[in-house]
Amino acid sequence: MENPQSPAIAASTENLSRTQVVDKPMVESRGGIVASQSRRAALAGVAVLDAGGDAVDAAVATSFALGVAEPWMSGAGGGGAMVVWRADEQRAYAVNFGLHAPGRLDPAAYPLAPEAPRSEFFGWPAVLEDRNVRGPKAIAVPGTVAGMGLAHARYGRMPWRDVLAPAVGMARQGLLVDWYAGLLISSCTRELAQDPDAAAMFLDEGKWPIVGGWTALAERRLDQGKLAHTLDHLADQGPAAFYTGDIAEALARDIQDKGGYLSAEDLRGYAARLEDALAIPYRGARIHATPGHTAGPSLKVALDELQAALRTPAAGRDRPGPEAYVAMARALDRSFKQRLTQMGDLDSPTAPACTSHFSVIDRHGNMCAVTQTLLSAFGSKVVSPSTGLLMNNGIMWFDPEPGRPNSLAPGKKCLMNVCPVVGETAGGDRYAVGASGGRKIMSAVLQLSVFLSDYGLTLEDAFRQPRIDMSGSGTVIANSKLPPAVIAALREAFPTVQTQATLYPYAYAFPSAVMASRGRHFGATEITSPWSDAVGQQE
């Protein structure tokens, strides 16, 4: 049955030009490169590389800088996962810093609202007052600081304080609110106004979105002073201070005062995990993904299906055709069916996921693929007044109905859609890639990996190649730039809706990647994004 949201998807770009060209070339360097959703965060990572830092040092710097540069996407109040490639060991590791439900969480506090329509963004019944989606009861135990601390302790070369310094400076200055920031704030104004501290940070007079001046003469910046103080304290005291020190006590007190469950005990008991990455053989290539409660295992299911179904491209054929797109759609569809029935991740692919992805390579070939998230746009829409942190809404990833694979329970791990990978092509090239976009992430990662591995596309051409999205709804969302023969083949196999790749609303994930090929390094980011960029070291 066709997705009931298909008409809205098809109409979402009806006002847009069909002749405008938007493009973004890849970056090339013999040194390191940081490819990030925020150019300012990428610059922070490259500054650490320039100071002699490892790829992990740059990843930590970029992670904290992203929490300042796009606070509605990710930050210390969220969680995620990372794949680290060590060139000297020729080995990949995964760092899991996912979210957990608080230990004192009471499932009875999330009663279903049978009289209300099912949530627009989920496949399950609505909860009273949307308590699992926004507000203090939606907050899970954050893991980003622990994940960054673990990776830095294992592989970092620079002092922790020096790695956090760029983010501290950015927070003291405050984020410039340009048209894009104003657009994102406007999209969540009603929800942000319900939390006084979120309203004070992002809204004028507690109810109007902060926007930049029409003539670009008026400069508006967010007040991120509390966040700067928190980051400065973390820089001095180390990552453990987030979980056992003054920050932990203040954060737990703030959330409990607002009616949430997060406690100092939850923070004290949190631990990120370092483990071997999930190795996925694919047509003589190999992809290293995150295991556990991520999309990594589902990616393996899809790739296993694909390599059995897709014929090897003919010699000299440098672009995927109808057969390839149908095979990718089928592999993704079957993988999601297994994920939805066995892992319990039932959220709709149209949910407004709030995630950051960045990829790093240093001059020695060490790589990091990092995806971190607050989940929804602006997470829970709750700000901790003592710390200046915007908090996640990890509880929304649990099924509110009892007795199901991913039902809500105290202390339970959240099932994440993040899918950072480090891949090796059969030809010996290596790449790190991932994306933001909730359930759309895995589709993008699989297709980019196929473009690079099966078709030998350059990183630039892979990012320019139109993609589809197949995220469990049974409907293919096909880029309007795909050839008519591809669209026709997809329509024969699945209900298919065409739409453009745009900044807002977005129908596809936003990837960022780096690649090492023939002694050179390359970086690329989502073409439609006005903030994302790959920044390379000067040679």
Side-chain angles (χ1 to χ4, degrees), residues 40 58 77 97 110 137 175 177 201 211 242 298 345 354 357-358 386 391 422 426 455 512 520:
R40 294 199 69 205
F97 48 99
Y110 304 83
K137 285 184 169 59
L175 173 66
V177 181
M201 177 175 287
V211 295
F242 188 86
S298 297
D345 178 16
C354 174
H357 179 83
F358 61 94
S386 301
M391 300 302 296
V422 172
Y455 293 89
S512 301
R520 300 289 291 180

Side-chain angles (χ1 to χ4, degrees), residues 145-443:
V145 177
M148 293 302 123
L150 179 59
H152 182 266
R154 180 72 178 265
Y155 296 112
R157 297 174 56 188
M158 291 178 60
W160 174 260
R161 176 161 186 69
D162 294 348
V163 171
L164 266 63
V168 175
M170 290 168 60
R172 285 174 176 161
Q173 183 184 28
L175 173 66
L176 176 68
V177 181
D178 60 9
W179 68 267
Y180 181 47
L183 172 66
L184 293 172
I185 293 171
S186 298
S187 71
C188 292
T189 295
R190 186 184 300 272
E191 294 87 355
L192 291 169
Q194 296 179 26
D195 179 75
D197 300 297
M201 177 175 287
F202 295 107
L203 307 179
D204 273 334
E205 301 177 16
K207 57 183 178 179
W208 310 110
I210 299 174
V211 295
W214 178 259
T215 61
L217 298 178
E219 180 180 306
R220 299 294 305 276
R221 292 186 179 273
L222 295 182
D223 181 356
Q224 296 175 298
K226 287 287 182 63
L227 178 59
H229 179 76
T230 298
L231 294 175
D232 192 47
H233 186 72
L234 274 177
D236 274 337
Q237 301 299 316
F242 188 86
Y243 295 93
T244 60
D246 294 341
I247 295 175
E249 294 291 337
L251 182 59
R253 182 178 61 250
D254 285 350
I255 303 309
Q256 289 183 27
D257 286 348
K258 289 174 183 276
Y261 290 110
L262 182 67
S263 70
E265 291 79 15
D266 291 322
L267 292 164
R268 187 162 52 246
Y270 186 91
R273 301 193 312 276
L274 177 69
E275 54 197 336
D276 288 336
L278 175 64
I280 309 172
Y282 179 76
R283 296 181 182 277
R286 185 173 298 270
I287 295 172
H288 305 280
T290 50
H293 287 63
T294 71
S298 297
L299 177 67
K300 182 181 187 305
V301 172
L303 287 170
D304 288 347
E305 167 83 17
L306 185 62
Q307 68 178 332
L310 180 62
R311 291 182 299 176
T312 303
R317 184 173 183 180
D318 61 355
R319 286 291 188 276
E323 177 193 13
Y325 278 98
V326 171
M328 288 187 290
R330 284 190 172 132
L332 287 163
D333 185 51
R334 290 173 183 170
S335 175
F336 267 107
K337 284 178 180 176
Q338 183 188 82
R339 181 178 179 88
L340 300 184
T341 57
Q342 297 182 19
M343 299 182 78
D345 178 16
L346 302 176
D347 57 319
S348 159
T350 60
C354 174
T355 303
S356 301
H357 179 83
F358 61 94
S359 298
V360 181
I361 184 170
D362 65 24
R363 65 175 64 254
H364 305 295
N366 300 308
M367 290 185 174
C368 295
V370 184
T371 312
Q372 55 187 44
T373 183
L374 292 180
L375 279 67
S376 289
F378 292 86
S380 60
K381 284 79 172 176
V382 171
V383 168
S384 157
S386 301
T387 65
L389 291 174
L390 184 60
M391 300 302 296
N392 71 81
N393 62 332
I395 302 305
M396 82 166 191
W397 260 341
F398 292 109
D399 190 335
E401 291 193 272
R404 298 170 68 97
N406 194 35
S407 292
L408 182 60
K412 197 171 183 178
K413 295 176 182 177
C414 300
L415 180 63
M416 301 185 292
N417 292 306
V418 301
C419 194
V421 305
V422 172
E424 309 160 14
T425 71
D429 295 339
R430 194 177 311 280
Y431 60 90
V433 68
S436 64
R439 287 247 306 267
K440 304 173 189 295
I441 291 173
M442 188 171 68
S443 288

